[in-house]
Amino acid sequence: YHVSEILVEELNKSYLKLSESNDIGQIIENAFMNIDEDLRSLNGWECGSTANVCFIFDDLIVCANIGDTRAVLFRNNDSIDLSRDHKPNDPIERE
């Protein structure tokens, strides 16, 4: 399944909206939801998965994730977490 193609397609469809609203988070969420719906309808899957995507727009990095996967940026021998794992035993997730 080509997640990157669906994300790019969703971004391309929403490019004008993005430049007006700067709501890239909603665009990525829509893409993830569309992918989930497609997988469920095509394969009858009811299981979960993980995904992590990062987009670079000029000097802005946008990172989004689902599940227990993490993006880390390494710069000058230092690491910076760009995302936070989603775990069912995490109190914030439970809330």
Side-chain angles (χ1 to χ4, degrees), residues 1-87:
Y1 201 76
H2 301 279
V3 173
S4 60
E5 292 172 11
I6 292 173
L7 285 167
V8 168
E9 180 181 313
E10 197 70 31
L11 285 169
N12 285 336
K13 285 193 309 190
S14 304
Y15 183 74
L16 292 176
K17 293 178 194 171
L18 176 63
S19 63
E20 293 170 7
S21 70
N22 292 324
D23 195 1
I24 184 130
Q26 187 62 54
I27 292 168
I28 294 171
E29 182 179 338
N30 291 345
F32 281 169
M33 295 301 287
N34 290 340
I35 292 165
D36 183 64
E37 186 177 315
D38 286 350
L39 286 173
R40 287 174 187 266
S41 67
L42 292 173
N43 301 308
W45 292 353
E46 291 297 326
C47 59
S49 187
T50 64
N52 198 308
V53 297
C54 294
F55 295 95
I56 300 173
F57 300 96
D58 298 322
D59 62 346
L60 174 69
I61 298 174
V62 177
C63 182
N65 69 301
I66 296 173
D68 59 346
T69 184
R70 181 178 309 181
V72 179
L73 171 69
F74 290 95
R75 181 173 44 190
N76 300 326
N77 292 325
D78 195 18
S79 64
I80 302 166
D81 288 341
L82 297 180
S83 64
R84 194 170 133 295
D85 297 4
H86 297 162
K87 302 244 183 203

